[in-house]
Amino acid sequence: MRLLKQLVPVALVAFAGSALVGAVQGNSLLTLLLGVATAVLAVLVYARVVRWSERRAPVEVAAQGAARAIARWALIGVALFAAVIVNIALVGGYRIDGLGSLTGAVGLLGFMAAAAVTEELLFRGILFRIVEERMGTWMALALTGLLFGLSHLFNPHADLWGAIAIAIEAGGMLAAAYAATRTLWVPIGVHFGWNFAAAGIFGTEVSGNGATQGLLHGVTSGPAVLTGGEFGPEASPYAVVFGLLLTVVFMWLARRRGNVVPLRRGATATLAQ
């Protein structure tokens, strides 16, 4: 019941915000404002339902230091995606064909803010955290990572490999980021930076959602196995490798800090049946 008490209100905000942002995507300023408003409202609703259903302070979304943490980790997310693009470009799979659209990039700021915040609250703040309490960190990481990847199959240009790649590089990495730090601002920052770099800076597809107009007019070409094809660079092996590397680093930090929850005996018995 605790899962539903938290999941339903946050999901309603996410779906309503997504519908509103999608309806005004032709207007960059409105997209920015509604996207940011959706992100803020989702955090407030999450904090409220956690206080109500768990009778504790939602320290994972504490306001103190939030802006600094998001900015720092967003830059890391941008750098991570830039590393993917550079590697694809080195094999001739990506080139810059002029400047893109500044107004388009402004709108994408709001769109990606709403997406990053609501997805992290749902998948890491609620699903991962509650599953981890029952089944341990590693099982929660695997299960919620798989669900996160499968959720991207509903995107217009999605395919099975793209969903698997997302499950590995993002589902695992972002859950590990939360496990290592126990704050949602870290996965939110990385998620936002990665997505905005993909769409708002380099002008590539994000998770099979179609072409975008970012600061640069990016063109991908060549074998889909290297570039990610219609799904976008997130389906490239470079993205998977970099995501896995960060997952290993975050889980090493989580273990070092004593943040890895072991598999409980009850969960072990259930799995053995």
Side-chain angles (χ1 to χ4, degrees), residues 15 30 142 171 272:
F15 290 135
L30 278 179

Side-chain angles (χ1 to χ4, degrees), residues 82-145:
V84 172
I85 280 292
V86 166
N87 278 274
I88 293 175
L90 288 174
V91 295
Y94 175 84
R95 74 177 191 276
I96 298 171
D97 191 18
L99 296 177
S101 168
L102 178 59
T103 56
V106 168
L108 285 167
L109 279 170
F111 184 87
M112 295 307 177
V117 170
T118 56
E119 288 180 10
E120 290 312 306
L121 293 175
L122 290 168
F123 283 94
R124 262 59 69 175
I126 299 173
L127 289 174
F128 173 82
R129 185 172 55 80
I130 293 177
V131 171
E132 183 188 41
E133 292 175 8
R134 297 295 185 91
M135 306 184 73
T137 301
W138 287 106
M139 189 62 67
L141 186 148
L143 290 177
T144 60

